[in-house]
């Protein structure tokens, strides 16, 4: 077991806000995240979130709800990334952004699958090899499976990183 005194104080606290590079200890990203990019993407996904939330309330469609959830998860992820720009050694900021930025696109693709099914239903089955309902079932099932695999990979990576910290 490694002596905790060898690890600098800012790295022992998961809620630290040490911005300066600590010699011998790289940032979690391998670089310092851009504060400007974080702010720009927070604004853009915030606009997308509120726009889709209004559409969800007004139209009450699955696609709008899925896009709202996707924009919200991306917004939370970019908030975590912006936090990381100011506090690059903060484990909580890193975990917030890594989890939500991995999960967010799943909701966008799910919305696209639902839209594809709607287009096939509107245009007719003659333009598709399988039914609109089957597209939604097949692609959403694949989306769920990929999300589970990503979650398992993230859990394995996190447990490996945690076990290295303990030794």
């Amino acid at each position: 077991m490694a002596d905790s005194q060898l690890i600098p104080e800012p790295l022992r606290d998961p809620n630290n806000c040490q911005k300066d590079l600590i010699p011998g200890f790289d940032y979690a990203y391998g670089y310092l995240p851009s504060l400007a990019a974080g702010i720009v993407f927070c604004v853009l996904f915030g606009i997308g979130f509120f726009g889709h939330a209004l559409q969800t309330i007004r139209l009450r469609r699955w696609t709008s709800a899925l896009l709202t959830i996707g924009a919200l998860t991306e917004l939370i992820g970019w908030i975590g990334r912006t936090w990381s720009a100011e506090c690059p050694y903060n484990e909580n900021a890193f975990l917030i952004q890594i989890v939500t930025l991995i999960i967010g696109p799943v909701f966008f693709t799910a919305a696209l699958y639902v839209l594809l099914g709607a287009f096939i239903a509107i245009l007719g089955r003659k333009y598709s090899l399988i039914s609109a309902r089957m597209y939604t079932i097949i692609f959403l099932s694949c989306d769920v499976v990929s999300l589970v695999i990503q979650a398992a990979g993230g859990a394995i990576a996190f447990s490996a990183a945690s076990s290295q910290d303990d030794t």
Side-chain angles (χ1 to χ4, degrees), residues 77-89:
W78 279 100
I79 288 170
R81 186 127 174 130
T82 305
W83 183 12
S84 288
E86 289 299 306
C87 305
Y89 289 108

Side-chain angles (χ1 to χ4, degrees), residues 5-161:
Q5 298 303 320
L6 297 177
I7 299 173
E9 178 62 34
L11 295 181
R12 283 186 253 151
D13 178 14
N15 294 315
N16 73 69
C17 197
Q18 169 76 25
K19 186 166 184 166
D20 299 325
L21 182 64
I22 299 172
F25 297 93
D26 287 337
Y27 299 129
Y29 303 93
Y31 60 90
L32 183 62
S34 168
L35 179 62
I39 292 170
V40 166
F41 283 109
C42 282
V43 169
L44 291 174
F45 280 110
I47 291 168
F49 167 69
F50 286 111
H52 287 298
L54 290 173
Q55 288 290 81
T56 301
I57 293 166
R58 199 175 117 229
L59 301 175
R60 299 195 187 276
R61 292 199 176 136
W62 275 105
T63 52
S64 297
L66 291 168
L67 291 170
T68 301
I69 295 168
L72 179 62
T73 57
E74 290 288 328
L75 175 61
I76 293 168
W78 279 100
I79 288 170
R81 186 127 174 130
T82 305
W83 183 12
S84 288
E86 289 299 306
C87 305
Y89 289 108
N90 189 304
E91 288 179 23
N92 294 329
F94 178 76
L95 288 175
I96 287 170
Q97 72 87 36
I98 198 78
V99 169
T100 56
L101 292 179
I102 287 173
I103 292 171
V106 170
F107 296 102
F108 295 129
T109 57
L112 292 175
Y113 303 147
V114 171
L115 279 173
L116 177 62
F119 287 147
I120 292 168
I122 291 168
L123 295 173
R125 177 79 196 286
K126 63 184 175 199
Y127 295 106
S128 174
L129 295 174
I130 59 177
S131 70
R133 182 172 165 78
M134 287 307 296
Y135 270 109
T136 303
I137 290 170
I138 291 169
F139 286 122
L140 287 180
S141 298
C142 290
D143 238 2
V144 169
V145 168
S146 77
L147 185 60
V148 169
I149 290 171
Q150 288 175 349
I156 290 168
F158 181 73
S159 67

Side-chain angles (χ1 to χ4, degrees), residues 1-2 159-167:
M1 190 173 253
S159 67
S162 295
S163 68
Q164 284 181 349
D165 290 343
D166 293 343
T167 59

